[in-house]
Amino acid sequence: MSIRKCNRKLVNFTSGFTLVEIIITIVLVATVSMVAMSRLVQGNGFNAIIVRDQIISLARTAQQNALGRANVSMTITPNAGSDSVTIVTSYAGGNIESFTAPLDNVSLAGDINDTASCAVTSGVDAITNTAPLTLTFGEYGDLGVSGVTGSTGAVTSAVRICLNDTASESICVSPSGFAYAGDCDV
């Protein structure tokens, strides 16, 4: 009996990419695209959405804090000359919460008892440093006398806050005190 030796050739497959090479390529492409997008897209486009969401959040906080105590208020005051807005929730004992947001290229207007779309009817009362918007919440979380300084009254249908006179960036606060994004559907 003879034993034959088989010479087997090892074949190296070198075509294609390894998993490590693919991951490194994806990371590099993602990094380059993030840098390029930050140069092309300005952050100002998101300022109205940030302001809208903060106003809604702080209005809901004020409403929750008003339950069981009276006269919790939320004041929206644009800061003159600094392109920012300060939103403060407070009660007789002091401030509950405050937030300052950039206001670049964002216009604010507020109306009480006007439920038309901000895209159709612009806000009548501009919210400025000298005429801030104040929402007052009662002990049941509902709205009391509210509005822009110089144009306040009892809220019977809703408070509308227009940002850039755009429906998607507007805010509605119902008489029950609930704040939500978009047109008033009261």
Side-chain angles (χ1 to χ4, degrees):
M1 276 200 219
S2 70
I3 298 178
R4 286 185 174 174
K5 283 188 168 180
C6 288
N7 289 333
R8 294 186 181 177
K9 291 184 180 180
L10 294 176
V11 178
N12 288 333
F13 293 103
T14 57
S15 62
F17 297 105
T18 65
L19 184 60
V20 173
E21 291 171 331
I22 292 173
I23 291 174
I24 289 173
T25 303
I26 291 171
V27 168
L28 287 174
V29 168
T31 304
V32 169
S33 65
M34 283 190 312
V35 170
M37 288 302 290
S38 70
R39 302 285 182 191
L40 297 174
V41 177
Q42 296 295 322
N44 296 348
F46 299 107
N47 286 345
I49 296 169
I50 292 168
V51 171
R52 179 198 67 193
D53 290 346
Q54 278 306 129
I55 291 172
I56 292 171
S57 175
L58 289 175
R60 291 178 182 172
T61 299
Q63 182 189 30
Q64 289 175 352
N65 281 294
L67 296 173
R69 68 172 97 153
N71 299 327
V72 172
S73 64
M74 181 182 85
T75 305
I76 302 169
T77 309
N79 301 316
S82 68
D83 283 337
S84 65
V85 62
T86 301
I87 309 158
V88 177
T89 56
S90 59
Y91 66 101
N95 288 347
I96 297 170
E97 190 172 354
S98 68
F99 179 78
T100 300
L103 200 59
D104 297 328
N105 301 321
V106 178
S107 64
L108 292 171
D111 302 305
I112 58 171
N113 302 323
D114 184 356
T115 58
S117 174
C118 289
V120 175
T121 306
S122 298
V124 175
D125 298 315
I127 302 171
T128 64
N129 188 28
T130 57
L133 172 72
T134 301
L135 300 177
T136 305
F137 295 87
E139 65 181 320
Y140 299 117
D142 55 340
L143 286 179
V145 173
S146 300
V148 176
T149 302
S151 178
T152 59
V155 179
T156 56
S157 58
V159 172
R160 178 182 73 155
I161 304 169
C162 297
L163 282 80
N164 295 335
D165 293 329
T166 306
S168 64
E169 295 171 355
S170 64
I171 302 163
C172 186
V173 184
S174 69
S176 65
F178 183 71
Y180 56 93
D183 287 333
C184 295
D185 55 358
V186 180

